[in-house]
Amino acid sequence: MPLTGPKEMFAKAYAGGYAIGAFNVNNMEIIQGIMSAAGQEHSPVILQVSGGARKYAGQGYIMKLVEAALAESPEIPCVVHLDHGADFALCKQCIDGGFTSVMIDGSHLPFEENIALTKQVVDYAHDKGVWVEAELGKLAGIEEHVASEHHVFTEPDEAVEFVQRSGCDSLAVAIGTSHGAYKFTGDARLDFDRLEAIGKALPNYPLVLHGASSVPQEFVAMCNKYGGNVGNAKGVPEDMLRKAAKMAVCKINVDTDIRLALTACIRQELVEHPEAFDPRAYLKPAREAVKNMVAHKIRTVMGSSNTI
Ligand code: G3H
Ligand code: 13P
Ligand code: ZN
């Protein structure tokens, strides 16, 4: 199956009360790990590429790796999505390069400017049949071009106006998640009343949850045990993510958990085998760790196993 857009995936996920996992990709091992997990679970998948990933690996390399993965597993419905597109030019390059979905992230802009920028991308993307995700509200923490000390939660009535006027196809909302490995200092809390209100205000409309890694404590402990210093990393509990997936959230973004799985495993391998210097010796188990973590997530968090 060639790359597909998320329209049908999200419609089925919305109706079925599950979500599609959107996993950040940066290199071959990560792409292979995710795709083999999706194949094992018979699940659709979204591979997402940040501006930073695109700079690191090169858009051409990423697309060729995805092409190779799809040739091997043609049964998996797969979207290639730009994560946190900073401006129109980047979205355009990705659309022109074959991405089937882009995010334009104007969440740092005033409301009217966010609408105008999103609409500019929507006009270009829809002309080429490409899906557009936008963001309203701000997640606390830092990502590539957006830094915010505090959450600015999404207002349901503003969300409706934003979607109507910008024409975006899906909307990332701020309900208390944040990017990275340090999401909560005290108890984890998400504003589910707000999520429900946004869902009601936008019926049959797919919402997106960013900053949704659960930061598995076994990987935190492994990193710390084998020479790392990941401190008191804490993520979103899996039961909260499951609850969001049963509501209007159709796409759940995961990057940090992949980084942790890969790093924990590589650290362990290097400490336990100090004589080893063949990268395949430590990247093979690390790739397997990504696969197992993603398969677990697809099965028990997204709920998208066996939905192809
Ligand atoms: O939301 C941000 C993603 O985790 C991507 O991170 O920009 O460092 O690739 P990155
Ligand atoms: P995490 O940092 O929680 O993995 O979030 C990733 C994300 O939202 C990518 O857009
Ligand atoms: Zn994000």
Side-chain angles (χ1 to χ4, degrees):
M1 191 186 289
L3 282 174
T4 173
K7 187 178 172 135
E8 197 186 321
M9 273 182 203
F10 287 170
K12 278 176 76 177
Y14 192 100
Y18 62 90
I20 309 296
F23 301 100
N24 283 74
V25 299
N26 290 278
N27 65 13
M28 182 185 77
E29 284 76 11
I30 293 174
I31 292 176
Q32 289 176 330
I34 295 165
M35 290 301 280
S36 83
Q40 179 190 292
E41 292 301 318
H42 306 285
S43 170
V45 73
I46 298 173
L47 302 177
Q48 55 184 11
V49 183
S50 69
R54 197 173 158 277
K55 261 188 221 142
Y56 171 77
Q59 182 168 309
Y61 276 89
I62 296 260
M63 290 311 265
K64 288 291 176 195
L65 287 168
V66 173
E67 205 181 288
L70 279 175
E72 230 172 58
S73 315
E75 76 286 1
I76 304 173
C78 178
V79 168
V80 174
H81 170 80
L82 169 65
D83 189 30
H84 293 286
D87 51 36
F88 176 78
L90 177 56
C91 291
K92 182 178 181 302
Q93 281 169 14
C94 291
I95 293 165
D96 294 347
F99 282 47
T100 52
S101 175
V102 293
M103 174 189 191
I104 176 67
D105 182 357
S107 61
H108 55 296
L109 298 171
F111 187 67
E112 289 296 328
E113 287 175 42
N114 190 359
I115 290 180
L117 176 62
T118 301
K119 185 163 177 358
Q120 187 190 9
V121 173
V122 165
D123 287 344
Y124 188 80
H126 283 184
D127 214 34
K128 318 235 171 211
V130 171
W131 185 273
V132 179
E133 173 185 323
E135 179 167 333
L136 186 65
K138 272 190 209 140
L139 274 62
I142 299 179
E143 62 214 52
E144 216 172 337
H145 68 290
V146 180
S148 173
E149 224 174 289
H150 304 289
H151 299 286
V152 180
F153 285 179
T154 310
E155 294 298 339
D157 51 343
E158 285 189 357
V160 174
E161 183 181 348
F162 185 88
V163 167
Q164 280 171 353
R165 289 180 53 203
S166 71
C168 62
D169 302 297
S170 53
L171 187 69
V173 293
I175 58 160
T177 61
S178 55
H179 292 101
Y182 305 94
K183 300 190 191 294
F184 304 99
T185 42
D187 287 344
R189 279 179 50 194
L190 297 186
D191 191 342
F192 282 103
D193 291 344
R194 184 176 297 271
L195 181 59
E196 193 177 1
I198 300 168
K200 275 203 178 120
L202 287 167
N204 287 315
Y205 188 86
L207 302 178
V208 178
L209 202 59
H210 282 246
S213 275
S214 48
V215 185
Q217 290 303 300
E218 81 243 42
F219 296 135
V220 173
M222 254 168 95
C223 283
N224 289 336
K225 178 174 175 190
Y226 293 105
N229 182 11
V230 186
N232 291 318
K234 195 168 177 182
V236 185
E238 290 187 347
D239 58 338
M240 289 192 184
L241 297 167
R242 269 195 294 274
K243 184 170 170 182
K246 287 187 179 134
M247 298 168 74
V249 170
C250 292
K251 172 173 177 272
I252 292 186
N253 285 10
V254 175
D255 186 0
T256 296
D257 289 353
I258 298 170
R259 298 177 181 198
L260 283 170
L262 204 69
T263 302
C265 202
I266 291 172
R267 280 196 175 282
Q268 180 179 13
E269 286 296 318
L270 292 179
V271 168
E272 287 183 350
H273 305 284
E275 75 293 348
F277 56 87
D278 180 343
R280 293 170 297 189
Y282 52 84
L283 289 175
K284 193 174 171 192
R287 177 175 62 187
E288 190 66 14
V290 169
K291 176 192 170 179
N292 292 335
M293 187 276 293
V294 171
H296 164 82
K297 207 149 281 251
I298 287 174
R299 198 165 52 242
T300 63
V301 175
M302 311 296 162
S304 65
S305 296
N306 302 312
T307 61
I308 294 179

